[in-house]
Amino acid sequence: MFSYHLLLGSTSTLSMQCSIQECPFGCTFGFLAAIKCDGSWNMNSIRVGRQERVYEMTLKRTLQSICMLTVHPNTTTSVVLQVVGDDGSLLPCAINASCAALAFAGIPLKHLAVAIGCGVVENGGVILDTNTAEEQQLKSFAHLVFPSSRKVVGSKEPKQKDVEFERGLITSISHGVMSEDDYLNCIERGVAASSRISDFMRKTLQKEAASVAA
Amino acid sequence: MAEKTEPAAAAASRLAGEMEVEAYRRLFPLAFLERHLGESVRPDARRLSEARPTTVALGAVSSAHGSALVRLGDTAMLASVKLEVMSPPAESSDEGSVAVEFHMPPICSPLVRPGRPADVAPVISKALEDVLMSSGMLNLKELCLISGKASWLAYLDICCLNADGSLFDAALISAVAAFTHLEIPLVSVGDDGRVFTVGGNEGKTKFELVNREKRKLTLGDIPFSLTCALHKDSILVDPTSEEESIIETYVTVVVDSSDRIVSIQKLGGTVTSMTAVKECISLAKERRRKLREILIDSVEVMEVDQTE
């Protein structure tokens, strides 16, 4: 049993993970905060359930693609996420938390998945890591997941920029209408931001590994 | 000893000459697909960028206010819209609302068991709702009857009759077609202040009708979607369920008539380069033009049937 608490602004998720028997990947998403439902129209309760299913499926497929499933055959890796606070960019926070939990648990991974939320502003600009107020105001936003950057030992700055753009995309979920250029802008900004997040993850993991070894 | 270390693909090709095609297809699905991709063709003899034949039939469900039956190759979807009068909530007193539900009954696929709903059904449901609302196709103010007192609640139910890949694409076309076919029933206000629907020819003359003129919804920018499966360097447009199960990576791009991206959904799978994603977006734009023609043709066919 292993747990990891990730804080991203005021959105925080608690990711717990343990392995059980059976088949590939299980994923459950729980909301700790009480959900207020408008009593006069009970469609809300069905809709609230749907959003969790979408998050679960996204998480499951993203994490399934980074784990090496053939190393432990006939086992289920169960990732349980508990939302402690939600202030926007919930899905990126959840993906980062579960990725860190898997890494700490020692599950063999191909690479880390680094998630970022990007919002498109009216003049075509892109803002990163949107909170709830911004998400409601913005016409469109996208949640993007990239593989973690490779640290090139002794490299020069200009070379790294080209390598970064070729990194590719694991998951992308967009909400709202945006032009193709806006979307490609989001990807560019997202790639740049994700390299900083992956540096942070790398440092944290190295620190923890050192303290565990000591 | 050497045979044990032989990689699976080489073993597969060695056995290829010795066994039947069907057995080879079941035992080595990936190798079977890759041999086809090597010749730039797919197991069902389509080219890589060719989608399956699409048919749209409007008015499939006579008891619903709007309905459509869509076939995308073997995938079949039945969408129907039923309107109900409701009193709108205070914050949107001059708007109606739409409730979208996507069903996958056990008849659609051997993977769906009775009593155990498919995992993908709520995901497609939510995605459809998001796309229909954010694309601006439906103007909710048109669903208003009497401001503040009565408006329409449209129940859009999409039932998957056969799941053979590209479920979201077929579901979106069927939803759009059902709304195109939708005819708002005539209503009148009773003595007790309640709004009721009026049917039949004498009804039209007996009661005082509230909405005699406004019978059809004006649809804004209609969204069309395309799912592509990405395998190494090949992009397979409109995958069947067999291809989807072998290739776990696919992108669904939804574009509207002004070529803006309404939604891009890529859930997990292998890491794909941006050039592949851009290629998918341009394929989606091409597909949109074809789908728009198919939809316009089906509307014409329906109008011809109605005048006969």
Side-chain angles (χ1 to χ4, degrees):
Chain A
M1 253 306 243
F2 196 83
S3 89
Y4 190 73
H5 190 196
L6 183 74
L7 216 72
L8 193 70
S10 20
T11 302
S12 61
T13 55
L14 188 70
S15 174
M16 301 168 283
Q17 181 270 336
C18 59
S19 54
I20 331 170
Q21 293 73 28
E22 286 271 318
C23 48
F25 231 87
C27 218
T28 46
F29 209 90
F31 272 88
L32 189 59
I35 295 154
K36 210 174 98 171
C37 266
D38 190 10
S40 63
W41 194 32
N42 62 359
M43 275 292 165
N44 275 331
S45 51
I46 306 172
R47 285 176 171 182
V48 159
R50 262 190 225 162
Q51 181 68 319
E52 267 100 77
R53 302 284 153 270
V54 175
Y55 285 153
E56 276 174 24
M57 173 144 282
T58 315
L59 268 158
K60 183 177 112 151
R61 303 202 73 223
T62 308
L63 296 176
Q64 216 163 9
S65 70
I66 63 169
C67 281
M68 289 192 205
L69 296 167
T70 50
V71 177
H72 296 299
N74 219 19
T75 54
T76 302
T77 308
S78 170
V79 179
V80 178
L81 278 114
Q82 186 61 61
V83 176
V84 177
D86 181 7
D87 189 34
S89 279
L90 183 60
L91 189 62
C93 185
I95 293 177
N96 289 329
S98 36
C99 213
L102 286 172
F104 271 103
I107 304 281
L109 301 173
K110 292 176 200 157
H111 45 70
L112 286 181
V114 176
I116 184 82
C118 313
V120 178
V121 200
E122 276 99 33
N123 60 355
V126 172
I127 55 176
L128 295 174
D129 193 21
T130 50
N131 63 18
T132 316
E134 288 166 346
E135 274 177 8
Q136 278 167 358
Q137 275 178 358
L138 289 174
K139 220 174 35 131
S140 55
F141 56 91
H143 296 308
L144 304 166
V145 182
F146 300 99
S148 58
S149 62
R150 293 207 187 117
K151 189 168 179 185
V152 183
V153 179
S155 71
K156 301 181 195 107
E157 273 305 310
K159 232 197 257 178
Q160 267 191 338
K161 278 197 188 143
D162 299 351
V163 172
E164 270 174 20
F165 196 76
E166 297 309 316
R167 277 230 306 272
L169 190 65
I170 300 179
T171 297
S172 150
I173 300 185
S174 78
H175 294 262
V177 185
M178 58 174 86
S179 70
E180 192 181 342
D181 294 325
D182 286 338
Y183 180 67
L184 294 173
N185 263 349
C186 283
I187 301 258
E188 240 183 81
R189 300 283 178 282
V191 166
S194 69
S195 60
R196 294 191 51 190
I197 303 178
S198 49
D199 286 339
F200 169 73
M201 295 275 248
R202 190 178 295 120
K203 264 188 273 186
T204 320
L205 287 168
Q206 281 171 347
K207 228 178 3 177
E208 286 297 324
S211 67
V212 162
Chain B
M1 284 301 279
E3 268 187 21
K4 279 186 196 163
T5 54
E6 200 178 359
S13 49
R14 184 171 54 80
L15 290 166
E18 297 162 9
M19 64 164 76
E20 285 183 345
V21 176
E22 271 308 311
Y24 187 66
R25 187 180 195 155
R26 297 299 168 95
L27 291 173
F28 305 106
L30 186 59
F32 181 74
L33 183 67
E34 282 183 340
R35 287 189 67 158
H36 284 84
L37 292 179
E39 314 284 328
S40 290
V41 84
R42 289 148 82 166
D44 53 358
R46 278 188 285 157
R47 287 191 310 276
L48 293 187
S49 58
E50 194 184 321
R52 289 172 289 179
T54 315
T55 57
V56 177
L58 300 180
V61 179
S62 51
S63 55
H65 298 125
S67 59
L69 175 65
V70 167
R71 284 215 171 82
L72 187 63
D74 276 335
T75 302
M77 294 273 170
L78 180 64
S80 60
V81 184
K82 259 215 153 144
L83 297 174
E84 214 177 77
V85 182
M86 67 155 189
S87 32
E91 54 277 0
S92 48
S93 57
D94 59 346
E95 284 181 354
S97 54
V98 180
V100 180
E101 192 70 43
F102 180 75
H103 307 272
M104 281 185 74
I107 56 164
C108 73
S109 152
L111 301 170
V112 180
R113 300 281 89 210
R116 249 198 97 185
D119 288 332
V120 81
V123 178
I124 295 184
S125 232
K126 182 89 187 20
L128 271 170
E129 198 184 314
D130 285 342
V131 166
L132 287 173
M133 290 297 114
S134 65
S135 67
M137 178 181 94
L138 300 170
N139 183 3
L140 292 179
K141 296 206 183 340
E142 287 189 350
L143 289 174
C144 174
L145 274 175
I146 303 167
S147 178
K149 298 230 182 65
S151 63
W152 289 118
L153 168 57
Y155 288 107
L156 171 66
D157 282 310
I158 302 171
C159 188
C160 179
L161 300 174
N162 193 25
D164 192 28
S166 293
L167 296 180
F168 180 78
D169 294 355
L172 185 62
I173 306 172
S174 63
V176 166
F179 275 112
T180 316
H181 178 246
L182 177 68
E183 191 165 321
I184 302 180
L186 298 165
V187 288
S188 177
V189 186
D191 293 331
D192 50 359
R194 273 183 53 229
V195 180
F196 60 95
T197 53
V198 159
N201 281 320
E202 343 100 28
K204 284 187 195 161
T205 48
K206 243 183 2 176
F207 300 104
E208 187 199 310
L209 299 166
V210 174
N211 61 343
R212 191 188 290 276
E213 316 86 28
K214 200 72 181 113
R215 302 299 303 285
K216 284 265 189 190
L217 290 180
T218 44
L219 300 178
D221 262 330
I222 300 183
F224 292 105
S225 89
L226 180 68
T227 304
C228 306
L230 304 162
H231 179 67
K232 293 182 191 165
D233 291 325
S234 331
I235 299 179
L236 281 73
V237 164
D238 189 17
T240 60
S241 58
E242 184 193 351
E243 287 165 357
E244 272 183 3
S245 59
I246 303 169
I247 306 172
E248 291 284 330
T249 311
Y250 31 93
V251 187
T252 301
V253 183
V254 183
V255 287
D256 67 5
S257 40
S258 14
D259 272 353
R260 292 177 306 173
I261 298 175
V262 178
S263 153
I264 291 193
Q265 307 276 341
K266 176 183 188 287
L267 300 181
T270 54
V271 179
T272 49
S273 64
M274 282 320 295
T275 41
V277 176
K278 282 183 206 166
E279 177 73 29
C280 292
I281 297 176
S282 55
L283 284 166
K285 289 178 186 167
E286 266 178 54
R287 176 81 173 141
R288 172 186 64 76
R289 289 180 206 115
K290 293 205 193 93
L291 282 178
R292 198 165 159 271
E293 281 168 24
I294 293 175
L295 194 62
I296 291 174
D297 285 340
S298 69
V299 171
E300 280 172 9
V301 164
M302 178 195 70
E303 281 167 0
V304 164
D305 284 341
Q306 276 183 346
T307 51
E308 275 172 7

